[in-house]
Amino acid sequence: MGALTRSFDWSQTSIGTPENWQQSLRTTLGIVLHSAFPMFLFWGDDLICFYNDAFRPSLGADGKHPALGKKGREVWPEIWDFIGPLLQRVMSSGEPVWFEDQLVPFFRNGQIEDIYWTFSYSPAYDDRGEVNGVFVTCTETTKKVMVFNQLHDSERRFQDLVTDATVGIIVLIGEEMVVEIVNDAYGHLIGRTREDLLGKPLFSVIPESEADFRAILDGVRMNGQPVHHSERPYFVFVDGERKDGYLNLVYQPYRGGDGSVQGVMILCQDVTVQVIAKLQMEEIVTERTRELATANRHLQRSNAELAQFAYIASHDLQEPIRKVATFTQMLEAELGGTTDRQRNYLDKIKNASSRMLLLIRDVLAFSQLSRDSDLVRKIDLGLVLDNIADDLELLIDQKLATVSYGGLPVVEAVPLQMAQLFGNLISNALKFTRAGVAPVISVSARLLDKAALKSYPMLDTRCNYHHLEVSDNGIGFDEHYADQIFEIFQRLHGKKEFEGTGIGLAMCKKILQNHHGHIYATSREGQGAVFHILMPESQSCFADSPTV
Amino acid sequence: MLYQNILLIDDDEDDQEIFLTALECTGKPVRCTVLDSARKALSQIAKGDFETDLIFLDLNMPLMNGQQFLAEIKKDEKLREIPVVILSTSSNAATVEQVKQLGARHFFTKPGRFEDLVAILEKVLV
């Protein structure tokens, strides 16, 4: 700037060329130009501008420089309203002025910039000892101010965050646990205002909590390790009334600038409503479970009693009726010759009693259908049918019937019940025949595919089933009664037409229930019937449901 | 072999009578002792009060049931060879299996028809 000042054409300015300048100006200017600290000088009535190399960067890359030799008002029009009066005051009063971090936005780098300054304006005297200029030392503090402002903003945001947080926040300092920071949410939890708490030891405000919480807080402060508590009960007295609640708590060591633990920050969330709802729910569930267990016990007991009753009743009922039948026959033999009427009465007694006996034995068999999983074995249904064909050989021959079966699967089942199931179905097929038509009975099986499985909602889609069909060419039945025939004691025919107790198909249904399977029948009257059995391959598939 | 001395253990007097009548109908030349208590029967056989080479046994009896009696005589070296035929009201498959395990020779459910009982006796007493 020294060279620039020397080479400048000063003749056009109000202060004239340098050889005519006063000694005081030269001296002051010498100080300015030789200083490494940013300096500026306004001189004369026009406040002609001088500045040094240190000040030069403050004018920016694209802006006022070179301002040398120009009038102050021309160089600083945008801030003249601010600095003009200041300069005039210094000029007229001779009193210096000083500003720290003052915002003085002006044009540089192609735009108006917010620039902060710390500066002083001092009077500069001429050779006569009169104030004839203003000597400016200044330093730009924009960066420092910016950093300070950011810090301030960040501090304010932190304060806002704490204040507006919905979780309770409190910072306790030192062994005394003096409240340094606390928000409204925390105050609300203990029924106090922030003013009640700030600057006071926490347990002087809520002494009732000291027993429950002091040890935890001391631990966190001394160990420097955070602690979490969920659904912790607490209570405080608010205006003499006890307030109870539950909190989720985080105790965090609160560190100072040097990293040492100075206290504890507590974050707490009120979970009273949730905990109470949960406790109530648990209580309801416990109560319901207890009720259910009781009901289940009662049900098991009455089931057992019912089974026991059916067994005892059937068993004991057999005795007298068997004797009636037997003694009737013995009487008949003893009587020797009888009249037709006597014989007729004796026949009626014999028929009624043997029918009663059959009925009782069937009821007994029905009541004894066991659901005990210990009896389950792997069993070849082909062998079951072999045995049934043997047992019924006489009847099959008498009826000139054809019984065919093949490709039957091995399944997990109670063997006796499989014999009862197929025994009942084959016996029925041999019983409900059409006059003059030789019975043709067949038993077949196939795996139930997954698509077909979906059409039986009572079956479990995770298990494999065999679909067995027992078909005949007998009298069939009206499909209207397709469900009814499986109910106990339901008969579609008079006793004179077809003998039977109405228990056989009910047994079949119960056996399938015991094995998690299903049975149903399709038919057209006079055109035979098909009994469909959906039998699980394995009972272990139902391990979680204790039926068989 | 031909059975000569048989024993019926049944607490039901009617059934005792039916049994004896049916036995008579078979025309077999056997002597039949009738006892209404399994416990009594066990002590008398053990003492050798009478001879028996076949026992017909009811199951459902007070104090000692048929199964217990069966188990007892199978423990006795001298008595275990005497064949035992069960004649019971029960037709329960589990019971049948149980007495077979205990060593019963035959199991018959007391039939509803008198001729059937005669047929059973004829079959057993060949």
Side-chain angles (χ1 to χ4, degrees), chain A residues 319 322-323 325 329-330 361, chain B residues 12 15 89 110 114-115:
Chain A
E319 285 293 311
R322 181 173 54 76
K323 288 176 187 170
Q329 289 154 29
M330 288 162 69
R361 286 191 176 156
Chain B
D12 188 311
D15 280 334
T89 317
K110 289 177 181 172
F114 183 70
E115 308 94 274

Side-chain angles (χ1 to χ4, degrees), chain A residues 300-348:
Chain A
Q300 280 178 353
R301 197 160 54 218
S302 54
N303 272 347
E305 281 167 2
L306 198 64
Q308 183 70 5
F309 171 78
Y311 176 78
I312 301 282
S314 322
H315 190 266
D316 291 356
L317 282 172
Q318 272 192 73
E319 285 293 311
I321 199 64
R322 181 173 54 76
K323 288 176 187 170
V324 169
T326 309
F327 283 114
T328 307
Q329 289 154 29
M330 288 162 69
L331 174 65
E332 191 179 7
E334 194 64 29
L335 283 172
T338 49
T339 66
D340 285 352
R341 186 172 282 194
Q342 285 167 337
R343 171 153 304 282
N344 185 29
Y345 292 157
L346 286 169
D347 282 349
K348 282 191 188 304

Side-chain angles (χ1 to χ4, degrees), chain A residues 355-374:
Chain A
R355 186 170 158 65
M356 180 73 176
L357 200 56
L358 190 66
L359 198 60
I360 290 167
R361 286 191 176 156
D362 280 357
V363 170
L364 192 58
F366 186 80
S367 74
Q368 286 175 339
L369 284 179
S370 172
R371 293 155 80 99
D372 187 353
S373 58
D374 288 350

